[in-house]
Amino acid sequence: MSAQEQVKGELSTHVREEIDEWLARYPEDQRRSAVLGALRAAQHEQGYLSTEIMDAVAEYLRIPAMDVYEAASFYSMFELRPVGRHTIAVCSNISCMLRGADDLIEHLQTRLGVRLGESTPDGKFYLKREEECLAACCGAPMMQVDHVYYENLTPQRVDEILDSLES
């Protein structure tokens, strides 16, 4: 079995197709430029980036594994260990902080029974460590749940959002 066939066994057809779309945007000698899109696709399907998945991405991109590890460990959008199905990130930058982000974080921790950086025991929610800025200052305080922004939040609105999420 060739190295390319082994990688295909680890990355789904959908992930490979998405990576190919990213690769098509760059010259052949700039394959590393597709690493963020490739990692996003892999994490979206797997829920986090295991070493084996990162190795498969590196092999598929034909770049050094260290380039993939560096990107995955640098950006806060990537998870390197299993986490809850629904990822919650509360912006903690100055605009959100001044408009009650700390209270929202406290409310979430109490409601979910976890601290920042932890997943609920049932695996439903993951409360990310602080997010410095999610670029929605005009809607402060805000949070991102599974890549969807929610702005002008109150504890009651947070509860409504959490209650609306599927298991």
Side-chain angles (χ1 to χ4, degrees), residues 4-18:
Q4 193 70 2
E5 289 170 328
Q6 288 174 347
V7 170
K8 288 180 182 178
E10 295 177 31
L11 297 176
S12 73
T13 300
H14 175 75
V15 170
R16 290 191 317 273
E17 288 171 353
E18 193 167 332

Side-chain angles (χ1 to χ4, degrees), residues 15-120:
V15 170
R16 290 191 317 273
E17 288 171 353
E18 193 167 332
I19 292 172
D20 289 342
E21 289 175 18
W22 283 102
L23 285 170
R25 299 175 188 198
Y26 304 104
E28 177 63 28
D29 65 339
Q30 298 296 314
R31 297 178 70 82
R32 192 172 85 182
S33 298
V35 72
L36 294 180
L39 289 172
R40 184 194 161 286
Q43 178 171 282
H44 182 76
E45 187 167 277
Q46 302 292 327
Y48 74 103
L49 298 170
S50 66
T51 302
E52 295 78 18
I53 291 296
M54 288 188 285
D55 289 344
V57 167
E59 201 168 330
Y60 193 79
L61 292 176
R62 297 192 314 263
I63 64 174
M66 186 55 65
D67 290 350
V68 175
Y69 300 157
E70 288 173 342
S73 64
F74 179 79
Y75 291 100
S76 67
M77 65 188 140
F78 298 122
E79 300 301 331
L80 303 179
R81 60 183 172 78
V83 295
R85 288 181 305 282
H86 298 289
T87 299
I88 303 167
V90 178
C91 180
S92 63
N93 210 334
I94 189 73
S95 296
C96 287
M97 182 190 66
L98 290 173
R99 299 211 50 217
D102 292 341
D103 293 336
L104 292 180
I105 291 170
E106 186 175 318
H107 176 74
L108 281 162
Q109 290 180 136
T110 300
R111 175 181 166 145
L112 300 175
V114 296
R115 309 292 299 157
L116 292 174
E118 297 177 349
S119 295
T120 56

